[in-house]
Amino acid sequence: PANLCYLLGNVDIERTGEWLASKGRRGFWRTDEGLPYLNMTGLQEEVSCALEEGSLSIQRDHVASVFTIPGLRGVVGVNFGRIFLDEKTVAQRYIEGMKQMQEGIDFFRKYVPGFEDCQLIVAAPQVGIRSSRRIKGLYTLTEQDLLDLRQFEDVIAQGCYMIDIHLPDSKGTLKRNIPKGKHYDIPLRSIIASQKSNLFLAGRCISADFSAISALRVQVICMATGHS
């Protein structure tokens, strides 16, 4: 499933932090400069209530992430949606994403202290696709490579993000964490196409199986493979 991300402004991040602390939840801290920082995830209880009352139709059992935008006070990015691609056109996907975005805004205003007066700043210009076509490289990274923290002699990038599969047939997400302080390698062979001469590709199209790419698709790892 895909997703449409967006930015919300006029958020009282301090108040949200106090609310999280009152519930014993993680997701709020201060930077070295003393600025409030939010990286809120979960909210399963609130999502369940909204689904039961019928005010939320997003087929998801939790909020993926709500995070502070550095340098923009009171502004957060939101990753909360689930668009099943099926036979939808690009336009139909975007329309569904906009509908889910409005439901999400209403959800945050009602259920999350600090968001009562939040306002939409901007929606992403297109629906984000998590997994798509990948090359067949000289080496194909596997889920087991990541879980085994495999190291390669021809390493060109490293990652520590978890396996994060948004299940296509349910509201849930399958996660397999990488031990804290550990990492896996990405070898040069995984960005070299096996059937073309002198063709290198970086990003989420590198040679990896479906489970492995669910970790390697995140922006910081995509950038690392490109910098190689």
Side-chain angles (χ1 to χ4, degrees):
N3 185 29
L4 182 70
C5 292
Y6 49 95
L7 298 184
L8 296 178
N10 202 33
V11 176
D12 188 340
I13 294 173
E14 298 269 7
R15 186 156 182 260
T16 303
E18 293 171 358
W19 174 71
L20 289 172
S22 71
K23 288 184 165 289
R25 296 176 178 175
R26 300 182 303 164
F28 176 83
W29 62 91
R30 293 187 182 279
T31 66
D32 292 341
E33 296 78 22
L35 298 175
Y37 191 87
L38 185 70
N39 189 0
M40 178 173 61
T41 187
L43 304 182
Q44 286 92 339
E45 179 182 334
E46 290 76 14
V47 169
S48 178
C49 288
L51 288 169
E52 287 180 9
E53 73 173 16
S55 63
L56 196 64
S57 64
I58 299 171
Q59 293 301 301
R60 185 152 206 180
D61 60 5
H62 71 289
V63 174
S65 184
V66 179
F67 48 92
T68 304
I69 304 298
L72 298 178
R73 292 181 181 271
V75 176
V76 297
V78 179
N79 179 347
F80 179 35
R82 176 158 284 196
I83 302 169
F84 294 97
L85 302 180
D86 303 318
E87 300 299 321
K88 296 182 182 70
T89 65
V90 172
Q92 288 171 333
R93 295 172 189 173
Y94 197 80
I95 290 170
E96 183 172 341
M98 295 290 282
K99 176 177 179 288
Q100 292 187 7
M101 179 184 69
Q102 187 57 61
E103 286 188 6
I105 293 171
D106 293 340
F107 166 82
F108 289 115
R109 286 173 177 166
K110 180 175 181 178
Y111 285 97
V112 183
F115 281 74
E116 293 89 346
D117 299 315
C118 69
Q119 297 291 329
L120 176 67
I121 294 179
V122 66
Q126 63 184 29
V127 169
I129 306 298
R130 290 188 169 89
S131 180
S132 58
R133 294 178 179 87
R134 302 182 295 279
I135 64 167
K136 175 65 176 177
L138 298 178
Y139 183 81
T140 299
L141 279 161
T142 67
E143 174 183 9
Q144 201 59 50
D145 286 334
L146 274 57
L147 294 177
D148 289 345
L149 307 174
R150 188 169 178 186
Q151 313 292 289
F152 295 90
E153 290 185 0
D154 60 338
V155 54
I156 49 93
Q158 296 174 326
C160 60
Y161 187 70
M162 62 185 172
I163 290 173
D164 178 20
I165 302 173
H166 294 251
L167 299 173
D169 55 357
S170 78
K171 298 178 182 178
T173 302
L174 176 63
K175 297 181 179 180
R176 294 192 175 98
N177 291 320
I178 303 302
K180 187 175 181 179
K182 302 295 183 179
H183 72 273
Y184 44 80
D185 284 353
I186 301 169
L188 177 66
R189 287 168 292 158
S190 289
I191 70 170
I192 302 176
S194 62
Q195 298 177 336
K196 296 290 182 180
S197 175
N198 202 32
L199 178 61
F200 294 66
L201 294 97
R204 72 174 182 208
C205 59
I206 68 173
S207 185
D209 67 19
F210 177 76
S211 295
I213 206 65
S214 73
L216 305 176
R217 63 177 170 77
V218 296
Q219 292 180 25
V220 65
I221 297 178
C222 287
M223 289 189 289
T225 61
H227 289 166
S228 66

